[in-house]
Amino acid sequence: MRDLTFDFLRVTEQAALAAYPWVGSGNKLKADGAATNAMRDTLNKIDFDGKIVIGEGEIDNAPMLYIGEEVGAGVNPKVDIAVDPIEGTTSTVNGQENAFTVIAAAPRNTLLHAPDMYMEKIVVGTEAKGEIDLNASLVENVHVVAKANEKNIKDMRILIQNRERHTQLIDEVRNIGAKVYLFDEGDITYAAATCMKKQGIDLFYGIGGAPEGVLAAVAVKCLGGDMQAKLLPKNKTEYERCVEMGLYNPNKILKLHNLISSDKCLFVATGITENILLKGIVLDTDSNYVTHSLLLNGQNKHIRYIECKHFNYQELVK
């Protein structure tokens, strides 16, 4: 798996560079299409046997990078792939922060095959590993994590996505004296940032996409943090979809090892626009694109930042 790290870096770099011309364009279809094409083309040049388990959707509504699609040259190693060609498509085309491209990978059959539906998620860093419990209330979890982090409640920093569905929980956490920091897009990077001590975030909570939850879980695994999740099928059709994908008890609390069961995992992301962890793409004085990427490895728990100058990239894509 480690031998594939820089191959996957090229995948996210190429997808980000392909999306960059569409920053501020307002055209979500063109932006996503450009990134998806670039990601797929680059994946298919790698010597591995890849299978998309988290992608752009089902085969009937996603022409490429669909769930179950095989990518790569078809030679060992056999790898599960989770991708998001653009996390934050709206942010990209509106010229806003928190847009990036991401890939997570692990040995075959070690990544959760999550259906595209809502998922409840809670993430903490290393100090509170093993302490969280989605069966308990968010307020109870804040108290437990405060004790594990040796902090007073008033010093706790909680990240929650700014959505109406979270309003009551935000009020409950603030009412006990903890600080809530809201964000709009990019819950993968915010979940990962919870596991980086220098970010000063004690707990991440949110109800968002299940595919993003699996991508976040790989980053959390690589960083030594902890995560729990729960699928939230909204109707019988979504419940049955879970069962069809092998999740026979969709209401079960999923622990980190249920989301990603191997330490031999990789997480690679490249910024399109700036976010909490990554710089966005910029042009240098010679009109060369400069990308900024994050590489995480579950075996050695290393955090690598890679800045790359792409000479003459504009000429190559004309």
Side-chain angles (χ1 to χ4, degrees):
M1 289 298 298
R2 281 181 292 190
D3 292 342
L4 293 170
T5 302
F6 286 93
D7 289 315
F8 291 148
L9 171 62
R10 181 169 173 77
V11 171
T12 59
E13 286 177 341
Q14 293 302 306
L17 288 165
Y20 183 70
W22 301 99
V23 171
S25 69
N27 196 325
K28 294 174 70 173
L29 288 177
K30 289 289 187 181
D32 190 62
T36 301
N37 272 305
M39 180 170 274
R40 183 174 184 262
D41 289 347
T42 311
L43 278 168
N44 281 326
K45 295 174 183 175
I46 301 174
D47 288 334
F48 81 125
D49 184 352
K51 183 178 181 181
I52 304 295
V53 300
I54 300 290
E56 291 290 89
E58 303 297 316
I59 188 171
D60 55 355
N61 61 22
M64 58 183 67
L65 296 183
Y66 56 84
I67 296 171
E69 182 177 359
E70 296 180 355
V71 292
V75 297
N76 285 330
K78 295 182 181 294
V79 178
D80 281 350
I81 299 292
V83 300
D84 196 340
I86 303 182
E87 166 67 352
T89 310
T90 300
S91 298
T92 299
V93 301
N94 287 338
Q96 298 171 318
E97 295 182 349
N98 291 325
F100 57 98
T101 185
V102 60
I103 184 168
R108 185 64 50 86
N109 299 322
T110 60
L111 271 181
L112 179 74
H113 296 208
D116 191 1
M117 62 180 60
Y118 274 134
M119 173 186 273
E120 185 180 14
K121 316 162 198 176
I122 186 169
V123 179
V124 292
T126 304
E127 292 82 359
K129 189 171 184 176
E131 300 295 333
I132 51 175
D133 182 4
L134 265 185
N135 285 315
S137 69
L138 180 56
V139 166
E140 288 174 309
N141 276 289
V142 171
H143 279 289
V144 168
V145 174
K147 182 178 180 180
N149 289 356
E150 298 181 346
K151 283 190 171 184
N152 293 322
I153 289 294
K154 65 181 180 63
D155 297 321
M156 289 288 288
R157 290 163 55 95
I158 315 300
L159 271 176
I160 302 179
Q161 192 172 23
N162 189 14
R163 294 291 186 269
E164 186 176 348
R165 59 183 175 270
H166 297 144
T167 300
Q168 182 177 340
L169 291 171
I170 292 167
D171 291 341
E172 289 175 2
V173 172
R174 284 178 170 162
N175 284 339
I176 65 170
K179 306 295 190 298
V180 175
Y181 292 77
L182 302 179
F183 67 94
D184 289 315
E185 302 288 345
D187 63 343
I188 297 173
T189 52
Y190 284 106
T194 306
C195 304
M196 297 179 178
K197 197 165 185 177
K198 71 174 185 177
Q199 297 289 343
I201 302 162
D202 297 293
L203 184 149
F204 166 97
Y205 176 86
I207 295 172
E212 290 83 358
V214 176
L215 282 157
V218 176
V220 172
K221 182 85 165 179
C222 290
L223 292 165
D226 198 10
M227 177 175 178
Q228 288 190 9
K230 181 181 178 181
L231 291 166
L232 300 173
K234 64 184 179 182
N235 51 40
K236 183 179 179 181
T237 300
E238 288 195 351
Y239 188 96
E240 291 175 348
R241 179 67 183 129
C242 293
V243 175
E244 287 172 7
M245 295 179 73
L247 300 164
Y248 301 111
N249 181 7
N251 297 319
K252 174 186 174 182
I253 300 296
L254 299 168
K255 297 187 177 181
L256 185 58
H257 70 267
N258 300 126
L259 299 165
I260 164 67
S261 60
S262 174
D263 286 330
K264 296 179 181 180
C265 53
L266 303 172
F267 177 94
V268 184
T270 299
I272 301 171
T273 61
E274 187 172 355
N275 60 64
I276 192 172
L277 298 181
L278 292 163
K279 301 173 186 175
I281 295 173
V282 296
L283 287 171
D284 69 7
T285 54
D286 296 317
S287 296
N288 297 304
Y289 288 118
V290 180
T291 57
H292 189 236
S293 303
L294 170 67
L295 282 69
L296 303 174
N297 184 301
Q299 288 176 278
N300 55 32
K301 304 293 189 288
H302 287 170
I303 302 172
R304 289 185 173 91
Y305 283 102
I306 303 291
E307 187 169 277
C308 182
K309 182 177 291 189
H310 302 263
F311 292 101
N312 301 317
Y313 184 81
Q314 294 183 83
E315 295 298 322
L316 292 173
V317 297
K318 283 183 180 179

